[in-house]
Amino acid sequence: MISQKILSITCPSRGCHDITSKITNFVSEQSIDIGLCHIFIHHTSASLIISENADPKVLVDLETFMTSIAPDGAPQWIHDDEGPDDMPAHIRSVITQNNLSIPITNGKLALGIWQAVYLWEHRTHQHQRQITITLHV
Amino acid sequence: MISQKILSITCPSRGCHDITSKITNFVSEQSIDIGLCHIFIHHTSASLIISENADPKVLVDLETFMTSIAPDGAPQWIHDDEGPDDMPAHIRSVITQNNLSIPITNGKLALGIWQAVYLWEHRTHQHQRQITITLHV
Amino acid sequence: MISQKILSITCPSRGCHDITSKITNFVSEQSIDIGLCHIFIHHTSASLIISENADPKVLVDLETFMTSIAPDGAPQWIHDDEGPDDMPAHIRSVITQNNLSIPITNGKLALGIWQAVYLWEHRTHQHQRQITITLHV
């Protein structure tokens, strides 16, 4: 048994957007006791991560980190057609995740107590992002 | 068909802990010819990686690398409630994996000859970590 | 239902090799309407990524980025038995992916319009690499 849902998410600017409830809602609509929940993002300049869900300062520091290793507008990037954040967005995407799989246990998404699922928008301006959730047993 | 097992693993300190045998043991207890083995860690300051299984110097160099890009106690980290290794642990987690899927072929976990699965503890002090293994066909 | 295929791919040198058509060909040979396609690489010095499929300059910049954070032959690497690119290849592997899962929707691999699957060879000389594709519903 497998069920799939496509979601469109508006990201107003660069940063981590908590999408956990969108995923747990879809899981709770199905009657799966044990299984897996797969999430995929159909883009190369935004990504999916699981990170700490309590302190917003973690999300600030994640941006600081990415800026330190892949700065916007650095002279070494030769791919810059869409601006100074173009190539850094691809790099951030490649070293994080475009797909996640999370266990379903006792009918629920089995995230740890401090875990949230974030859609990390890496472009500085607003983008519409599409993800596909696939549940399977 | 799907089967799931939850494991609790004690990590005495920062570093990569080989958990390959725990996974191959669970696979060998089931009778799956072809399928997938999914491993998930329920934490945001420890992660899962597949890396070289022969030379312990690789694991030393992986620590050196992480220290070079996300140093403990650096002044730029504003999330430091749990100490100088707090934010670096979240960063290390985000740029490695919290979930892995490995093929099962001919009834065995189909790792390459030089591959091992490691639980990478990113905090400097001892932590108890929980992982869930899910086998499915 | 599950089907598996093992592929051997020759990578003449360091760089990203587009393997998308090898995967879509296998998907189109099966009759799966909704499901998942899992790809695994059996090595620790090459990896799998999904990245931008249009501008080859992105792939150049990805190399530039990796060289900036994990340079070949740097004096801090103590694992160098196979040469200056030995340890950097393991690092590049660990911070990218060794496994990907991509949705199958309406019988097709549901990549975004700008997404391609690359086998990223991290060693500078030619290597033969093995990947396993597993399709499941």
Side-chain angles (χ1 to χ4, degrees), chain B:
Chain B
M1 198 279 288
I2 201 149
S3 57
Q4 224 170 43
K5 184 177 188 173
I6 296 169
L7 294 178
S8 185
I9 296 168
T10 305
C11 297
S13 62
R14 178 176 276 177
C16 290
H17 305 274
D18 191 334
I19 59 168
T20 312
S21 66
K22 293 181 194 295
I23 300 160
T24 55
N25 287 350
F26 184 49
V27 171
S28 67
E29 288 164 24
Q30 315 295 318
S31 53
I32 295 176
D33 185 42
I34 290 179
L36 288 165
C37 173
H38 176 265
I39 315 149
F40 183 82
I41 188 160
H42 299 260
H43 306 276
T44 64
S45 54
S47 56
L48 299 169
I49 62 164
I50 294 176
S51 193
E52 209 262 9
N53 61 10
D55 182 2
K57 288 187 287 188
V58 171
L59 307 181
V60 174
D61 285 348
L62 287 176
E63 294 294 337
T64 301
F65 168 72
M66 285 297 188
T67 297
S68 75
I69 61 166
D72 286 356
Q76 65 266 36
W77 313 137
I78 60 173
H79 173 82
D80 58 3
D81 299 350
E82 297 189 13
D85 59 330
D86 188 349
M87 191 60 215
H90 294 307
I91 292 168
R92 288 155 162 254
S93 164
V94 163
I95 63 168
T96 53
Q97 316 292 316
N98 32 45
N99 71 112
L100 297 173
S101 281
I102 302 168
I104 299 169
T105 308
N106 298 326
K108 292 187 177 166
L109 194 71
L111 286 172
I113 193 163
W114 302 109
Q115 289 182 313
V117 180
Y118 293 97
L119 193 169
W120 195 347
E121 174 60 58
H122 299 302
R123 301 299 308 274
T124 52
H125 292 90
Q126 178 171 318
H127 280 74
Q128 195 73 16
R129 301 303 191 175
Q130 184 178 296
I131 63 169
T132 296
I133 309 175
T134 305
L135 305 185
H136 58 108
V137 297

Side-chain angles (χ1 to χ4, degrees), chain C residues 15-62:
Chain C
C16 289
H17 304 275
D18 190 335
I19 60 168
T20 312
S21 65
K22 294 180 193 297
I23 300 160
T24 55
N25 287 349
F26 184 49
V27 171
S28 67
E29 288 165 22
Q30 316 295 317
S31 53
I32 295 176
D33 184 42
I34 290 179
L36 287 165
C37 174
H38 176 264
I39 315 150
F40 183 82
I41 187 160
H42 299 260
H43 305 276
T44 65
S45 54
S47 56
L48 298 169
I49 62 164
I50 294 176
S51 193
E52 209 263 10
N53 61 10
D55 182 2
K57 287 187 287 188
V58 171
L59 307 181
V60 175
D61 284 348
L62 287 175

Side-chain angles (χ1 to χ4, degrees), chain A residues 17-76:
Chain A
H17 305 276
D18 190 335
I19 59 168
T20 312
S21 65
K22 294 181 193 295
I23 300 161
T24 54
N25 287 350
F26 184 50
V27 172
S28 66
E29 288 163 23
Q30 316 294 317
S31 53
I32 295 176
D33 185 42
I34 290 178
L36 288 166
C37 173
H38 176 264
I39 314 149
F40 184 81
I41 188 161
H42 298 261
H43 306 276
T44 64
S45 54
S47 56
L48 299 169
I49 62 164
I50 294 175
S51 192
E52 211 263 8
N53 60 10
D55 182 2
K57 288 187 287 188
V58 171
L59 307 182
V60 175
D61 284 348
L62 287 176
E63 294 294 338
T64 301
F65 168 72
M66 285 297 187
T67 298
S68 76
I69 62 167
D72 286 355
Q76 65 267 33

Side-chain angles (χ1 to χ4, degrees), chain C residues 3 6 15 22 28 33 68 74 85 96 108 120 126 134-135 137:
Chain C
S3 58
I6 296 170
K22 294 180 193 297
S28 67
D33 184 42
S68 75
D85 59 331
T96 53
K108 290 187 178 167
W120 196 347
Q126 179 172 318
T134 305
L135 306 185
V137 297

